[in-house]
Amino acid sequence: MALRAGVTFVKLNSLRQATRLLSTHTRPDVCQNGGTSEFPGAKAPYVNEIKFLNENSYDPIPIYRVMDSNGRIIDSREEPNIDKESLINMYRNMIQLNQMDKILYESQRQGRISFYMTNYGEEGIHMGSAAALSPRDLVFAQYREVGVLLHRGITVSELVNQCYGNCEDPGKGRQMPVHYGSKQHNIVTISSPLATQLPQAVGAAYALKRMPNNDRCVICYFGEGAASEGDAHAAFNFAATLDCPIILMCRNNGYAISTPSSEQYRGDGIAARGPAFGLHTIRVDGTDTLAVYRAVASARDLAVSNKPVLIEAMSYRVGHHSTSDDSSAYRSVEEIQKWAKDESPVQKLRLYLEGKGYWDAEAETQCVKEARDTVVRAMQDAEKKKLPHWKEMLEDVYYDMPPKLQKQMKQMEKHLEKYQEHYPLNKYLNE
Amino acid sequence: MALKSTPVLFGLLTRLSRRTFSTSKALASKPVTVRDALNQALDEEMARDETVFLLGEEVAQYDGAYKVSRGLWKKYGDKRVIDTPITEAGFAGIAVGAAFAGLRPVCEFMTFNFSMQAIDHVINSAAKTFYMSAGAVPVPVVFRGPNGAAAGVAAQHSQCFGAWYSHCPGLKVLMPYSSEDAKGLLKAAIRDPDPVVFLEDEILYGVPFAMSDEALADDFVLPIGKAKVERAGQHVTLVCAGKATDTALQAANQLAGEGIECEVINLRSLRPLDFDTIAQSVAKTHHLVTVEQGWPQSGIGAEICARVMESPAFFELDAPAWRVSGADVPMPYARSLETLALPRPPDVAAAVRAVLANRGECFMHTPCLGEGTVVMWDSLPEWEHTH
Ligand SMILES: Cc1ncc(C[n+]2csc(CCOP(=O)(O)OP(=O)(O)O)c2C)c(N)n1
Ligand SMILES: [Mg+2]
């Protein structure tokens, strides 16, 4: 690859069936005068000159955009064909997500839940990708992809109940806040150790591939920080060598807690690794919801025909890493402001909608109010709900409960019967 | 970037001057948090030995996820305090390699839960290379970070790896409880020629403990493999380490009011294990209860009980030994259940009462009470009411 004059990184099947090629050029112009090798490990031309490649050997991988910062379409041929209702739904979900983040973040500050993470700045990646997928596609998330869950139809109540760990938390109150999951919505439960979802997602994609007439794919979200884990590289390699129906979706938001991406890696970001691993690769502006939509829709076409794709969606983590972090210790307010205001994915989509006459200030006010009310109501309800049955603590450790745990359960049952007044049993569900 | 070196330096100077002026130990004893004690240990060892360096996620600019390395990057710079990408297997391997090459790396895991990503380097390389190189390549590395249950972070962030690591020959495994432990043991770990796994506790970081003049001095080092009797007593021996020491001490306080005197042994070191101190105590009290946060099976308590069985200490026992441990389930998230899944002082007190009363029938039915505090829910008030 390095020895060719032009390198095709990405093939985009346009929705209008026009085929476009994005290409970047390699800098080293290597003369090809010695024929081509037949080594099993590389079929490459011979040269007679020592030439090392480095991170400047290639132009930076370009960033695909559809809109400018004012929500105006740059090239009308690239505007995706999304109907009005779907567009408005995507935007409403963004507002819902923002309101939920705002209120739940506060609720952690007030000690109502133990932990929370916000999604500000990455709404475009969530909505653009979720809208381009089939609801049957399997999602492996990292933790900062809640918009995808909202788009799949998971309700604010379900999410809030998870954070509160009450009896209506589908996870039975076992996981920390924001570790959502929903088998029904094809969303694999979030796991804390970073990047473990990556090889697991490839494994799931491999399983899908084995099903006859498969028309599903897996999308696996991960941060640029998580991409440093060995698991990420294993996943890239297996996705490629097993020809898996998978979209590896990197959210490059510039930070991993306090570590800026400049200290996380060298070279041209995460996207540059894609072609090296044999993955179809594209880099996209993650603050441009329409661009993400287009990229993921095209990627999905490739993925379902067993061509694995790596997408690097560029964005900025506008909020603190989590409720345990204070990002003012390592970045300036000006830096945050630029991304929160001028490059806000929410604002860009709103301007686009306004330009089309789908949205106005009144709709905005109304939507924000509704979104806020929904969260406040969900929270008030969540606080009133009982905790999961105490027996849940001993359930699901094994598929069949071993005698040892059965015995403990019975002892506890007897005990609680006898001394119920000593326990806050009314807080727990019974039966 | 927050530049926090000035307060650290200032704190150090005040400590130094206070030490100079203090004459009596009691007067000088001052409260220091476990976090500050660890910070002091790192600072002193880095000042003492140029080959000592710290690496891990967020340890430099950000002062560490739990602020244990506060001020060290400012003081020692990029060469000695290194922020790494999020690759535990990578930086643990780099630490091991640097130790092969003669440096003394201190490798911080943001929490020991994430050391699972790197465990091959710890067990297959750090622990075995000295042996496999026929003694030619020592591996003086320290792996440290918070271990065990934190608060409200559920199954994947709340577990004790004490038993895991202490299983492995070639490693030394330390589990400090107080500030004195933290400082003296970390300094010992850094100076030790063998790889040391140093298991801290997030909940204890912010807890202040009185530190003596002696412990505040920069030549204060504790011996590895020596337990500390935290409280003397003649009725029953409680063996514990780390945060469980706090649980045992609280239980001992409670029991003292009932005329039961517990001897509380803070192990400090899980490997090597100071069995002599345990045996001596058992010879005096004739009763043994172990307390740990980890799961019961193949745990620290299991090891201690087995060693008692295999030694003359067995004949000193007037009743079988009992284990109090974490419940045998992944850590639940709900606060109420989390509390109950970990040993609490009343659980320990109940175990002590039962052992002292030698209620054979109870442990015949529940051969290891340590199978969780869950068992305790049944046993606890019943004993209180019926006996
Ligand atoms: C194996 C592992 N190591 C460390 C952590 C602690 N940790 C949680 S999130 C995080 C930063 C991840 O950054 P990135 O992947 O860029 O995602 P972002 O938070 O920016 O969305 C770290 C280091 C972890 N959860 N798992
Ligand atoms: Mg990131």
Side-chain angles (χ1 to χ4, degrees), chain A residues 122 142-144 222-226 251-257 259 317:
Chain A
E122 301 181 49
Q142 181 160 310
Y143 47 66
R144 212 185 297 284
F222 59 102
E224 87 294 339
R251 298 178 291 100
N252 189 335
N253 60 10
Y255 286 91
I257 312 186
T259 308
R317 195 197 75 213

Side-chain angles (χ1 to χ4, degrees), chain B residues 360-377:
Chain B
E361 77 281 8
C362 293
F363 49 76
M364 294 306 272
H365 296 143
T366 51
C368 70
L369 193 61
E371 255 165 36
T373 46
V374 181
V375 177
M376 289 302 189
W377 295 346

Side-chain angles (χ1 to χ4, degrees), chain B residues 275 288 300-311 314 321 323:
Chain B
F275 187 68
L288 173 65
I300 299 162
E303 174 64 24
I304 292 166
C305 292
R307 292 222 197 170
V308 169
M309 291 291 291
E310 293 166 350
S311 81
F314 174 73
R323 291 178 285 161

Side-chain angles (χ1 to χ4, degrees), chain A residues 9 22-24 59-64 268 282-284:
Chain A
F9 276 109
L22 281 181
S23 69
T24 67
D59 290 337
I61 296 173
I63 300 169
Y64 175 69
D268 188 20
I282 187 169
R283 180 178 267 164
V284 59

